[in-house]
Amino acid sequence: QVPLVESGGGLVQAGGSLRLSCAGSGRTISTYGMGWFRQAPGKGREFVAAIASTGGSTYYADSVKGRFTISRDNAKDTVYLQMNNLKPEDTANYYCAAQLKPSQAQLASAAQLVPRFQYQFNYWGQGTQVTVSS
């Protein structure tokens, strides 16, 4: 098991910023690909952003590109999601996820290295709520 603990959610006005954190509680996550997903009420879980284990490669959903930044501090076993210029449609429960090992297909293509599909992730956090008011 890889316990993941998210924090940093809250209520913010449109245009504001929040920074989410995801820590590997009691276990290092420095070698794992990490991602953020979100789920709004009545909707399915959707991909937001992900980062390779080395931190050199990232991938974003089009809806957040240019506004959100994913990063990691392996010394602290923590992954961050900096969210700027938040919009009401960003309101959701945000989940952190870990991929233990990239697949051969991911390793074969730089464009596919960063995980982005739910089935690629092995462990999930409990989520942290982000609410953006208009």
Side-chain angles (χ1 to χ4, degrees):
Q1 289 289 326
V2 179
L4 301 172
V5 180
E6 303 100 332
S7 61
L11 173 64
V12 64
Q13 288 188 328
S17 299
L18 283 174
R19 188 177 79 158
L20 306 183
S21 299
C22 172
S25 179
R27 181 162 176 172
T28 183
I29 59 173
S30 62
T31 61
Y32 302 154
M34 300 295 295
W36 287 96
F37 290 75
R38 66 187 182 186
Q39 187 167 17
K43 295 187 177 181
R45 190 173 298 186
E46 66 173 0
F47 171 79
V48 175
I51 188 167
S53 59
T54 60
S57 298
T58 58
Y59 189 80
Y60 296 92
D62 288 343
S63 59
V64 306
K65 203 172 294 183
R67 300 188 297 123
F68 291 11
T69 302
I70 187 171
S71 62
R72 67 190 304 156
D73 185 340
N74 285 341
K76 296 182 178 180
D77 279 324
T78 302
V79 175
Y80 303 98
L81 184 68
Q82 177 66 44
M83 306 185 295
N84 297 329
N85 191 21
L86 282 160
K87 304 176 181 180
E89 51 263 43
D90 295 318
T91 295
N93 204 7
Y94 283 70
Y95 298 89
C96 174
Q99 181 188 45
L100 299 187
K101 186 177 180 181
S103 67
Q104 289 299 314
Q106 286 178 258
L107 294 173
S109 170
Q112 298 296 323
L113 177 61
V114 182
R116 65 205 68 178
F117 301 107
Q118 293 187 51
Y119 71 85
Q120 293 178 303
F121 292 88
N122 306 98
Y123 296 104
W124 296 79
Q126 295 300 306
T128 184
Q129 178 67 35
V130 172
T131 303
V132 185
S133 63
S134 57

